[in-house]
Amino acid sequence: MSSQATLDAPVVIAGAGPVGLVLALELSHQGVRSILVERQPTTTTFPKMDVTNARSMELLARLGLADLVRAAGVPSQHSFDVIFASSLAGREFGRWRLPSVDEMRAEIAGCTDGSAPAEPWQRAMQADVEAVLMRRCLEDDMVDVQRPWRVTGVTQDADVVETTIVHANTGERRVLRSAYAVGCDGARSQVRASLGIEQEGAEEVATFALVHFRSRDRERLQAHGQFWHLFFATGGIVISQDEDEVWTVHSQVPPETQPGSVDPVAVVRNVCGVPVEIDEMLEHTIWRPNVLVADRYRAGRVFLAGDACHQVIPTGGYGMNTGLADAVDLGWKLAAVIDGWGGEALLDSYEAERRPVALRNRDWSFRHLSVHLQMPERADVALIDDDSDAGARHRAELGEFVAANNGENTSVGIELGYVYARSPVVASTAEDEPPELDPLVYRPTTFPGARAPHVPLADGGSILSCFSRGFTLVDHGAPDPARLLDAAAALGVPMTHVALGPDAASASVYERRLVLVRPDGHVAWRGDDAPDDCDALVAHVTGRGERVATASATAKESAA
């Protein structure tokens, strides 16, 4: 088993949801082949996530995918407004006003201080996002899509991973040999089970009925105007999936409720408070969210990503979006190691960087859900639509509660402000203190481990477009960038020099004259001058410090 001479591919990926698809495309972007194994013959038909956040859109833009996702999503003129009302026939008592993609683009264009993302959010069903990503993978010669094949087990030794797969229709069994394997196979991950990795958190924290349907009854459904989400005082929700005819209703139901025991038409009627004409029933089920994070993200040559290692409640949109960042983080690191310029510590850094983000996002998703779970307790259904002064006061009280708890869709600090401060492959000085995270506010910084801020370049594009393959040295007038560039070249590390000059508008945003940025757009190091030991810095940020130090010592001994 130990020989790598007969590998089927450098990487095998189990699961072709959005995370597995993006991981395959990230590896391809970095020049690495993969086999993508999926048990279903087609992409999902369930809506699942309905927003791709700004950070995810930035990461997708690196891969040339942002425009494709936008084309599959809601047209750019529609707002992200969230409405709170008693029912479709009742009173509105609160609204979170959230801008459209067009409005966000205008805000971004007018922002030069680094506080804005490079890309707006995008409303799009996960089902549509998956379909777009799968088409791209099927067109990519570097991605070998195998479906419908089910992963039944993963074994490994010091050199090779063997992934056993079984065809869903014929029962044919195959064993795929690879240098690495990644489980992107969801909440019930077979890869995680094969590794014996446990999870911490809580299971089935609530029970919901989901009804996904087509309806042209917009007069009733949009009785309160255009919306993205419409929450009712009774606890139900309607989601406008495409601003046309596709909708999803969620309703909390008793914990013992089983799939097939609920009438989906009745669920829609009860949630909306009025009968809605349903043209086509697309999907309906019972679902139970978990808030779980895996104890480990890695076991030897096998890794976990996405729902296989973290499960969150959909409130806040942290599920798929957290997973996409996992895929990019792990993808470039695997490619660096496979290409020979990344070391073992680079792979270790994946868990060190991504697991704390998952823990925080898990907890904040539960916090957002608690706002909605409180609504039925606070609302007096007999009073909320009353024309009396008491009814008006009650609606005002509910409106104040809604306005005071609007972080679900405005926690830009959660989306953009996380910092890999404790990563073993970022370099900071002793006097550097990591910035304190404000979940609701993003404050641009180039502190090592942070997302490098977006600033516009002279050609109108974003500086983030420079961060894609290899490292990038952003230079605002340092006297000696060549020493660091030469050290990278000598160690075989790809590094691009972006010279902007000391008078560039981005100089104050980037805080230091030299900022070294990784392929995923996170800062690896910063300083006003190149460090004394450039070799050591390059070795550190590529995860092979010990190996390079040993080689340097050997070279010095030989010279002596």
Side-chain angles (χ1 to χ4, degrees), residues 66-281:
D67 289 344
L68 294 175
V69 170
R70 293 200 191 281
V74 170
S76 60
Q77 71 270 24
H78 294 291
S79 83
F80 285 65
D81 279 9
V82 177
I83 298 174
F84 294 80
S86 59
S87 69
L88 287 181
R91 302 286 190 94
E92 177 182 330
F93 58 83
R95 183 182 291 250
W96 294 335
R97 295 193 179 276
L98 301 168
S100 67
V101 169
D102 288 341
E103 290 167 332
M104 282 189 273
R105 283 198 191 282
E107 292 177 9
I108 290 169
C111 180
T112 59
D113 65 359
S115 62
E119 293 279 346
W121 294 1
Q122 177 61 48
R123 288 172 55 192
M125 287 184 290
Q126 183 171 320
D128 292 335
V129 173
E130 277 192 26
V132 166
L133 298 176
M134 177 58 79
R135 283 196 295 273
R136 178 55 68 90
C137 282
L138 291 171
E139 296 166 355
D140 193 326
D141 292 339
M142 300 290 284
V143 182
D144 180 4
V145 178
Q146 294 289 320
R147 57 180 183 173
W149 290 84
R150 177 170 54 90
V151 173
T152 60
V154 177
T155 59
Q156 62 179 311
D157 63 17
D159 300 308
V160 173
V161 181
E162 291 190 345
T163 303
T164 302
I165 62 175
V166 175
H167 196 278
N169 298 330
T170 67
E172 179 188 352
R173 179 180 176 275
R174 292 172 55 193
V175 177
L176 302 176
R177 291 167 52 83
S178 59
Y180 299 97
V182 185
C184 303
D185 49 342
R188 292 183 287 275
S189 170
Q190 180 60 49
V191 175
R192 187 183 66 239
S194 294
L195 299 174
I197 293 177
E198 301 294 332
Q199 301 179 94
E200 64 167 271
E203 295 184 90
E204 300 186 358
V205 296
T207 305
F208 296 93
L210 174 152
V211 183
H212 187 49
F213 61 97
R214 292 187 189 277
S215 173
R216 288 165 290 182
D217 194 359
R218 290 174 60 180
E219 183 176 352
R220 285 195 181 94
L221 286 162
Q222 293 186 330
H224 295 286
Q226 181 268 332
F227 66 88
W228 171 31
H229 292 166
L230 173 55
F231 289 97
F232 295 117
T234 52
I237 175 177
V238 180
I239 300 172
S240 172
Q241 298 286 10
D242 66 351
E243 290 293 341
D244 185 15
E245 61 178 15
V246 181
W247 316 82
T248 304
V249 162
H250 296 271
S251 178
Q252 192 168 7
V253 294
E256 65 274 11
T257 306
Q258 296 300 315
S261 66
V262 173
D263 177 0
V265 175
V267 170
V268 175
R269 170 66 175 82
N270 292 338
V271 167
C272 295
V274 297
V276 172
E277 293 183 13
I278 296 176
D279 299 319
E280 181 184 2
M281 191 64 66

Side-chain angles (χ1 to χ4, degrees), residues 317-349:
Y318 303 140
M320 181 190 77
N321 289 296
T322 304
L324 295 188
D326 292 345
V328 172
D329 186 288
L330 180 58
W332 79 263
K333 291 172 179 175
L334 283 171
V337 173
I338 290 166
D339 287 346
W341 57 267
E344 192 67 17
L346 200 60
L347 299 181
D348 287 337
S349 73

Side-chain angles (χ1 to χ4, degrees), residues 92 119 246 339 380 439 445 457 482 513 518 545 547:
E92 177 182 330
E119 293 279 346
V246 181
D339 287 346
D380 183 340
T445 180
L457 298 175
R513 290 187 295 189
R518 311 184 323 183
R547 187 176 75 186

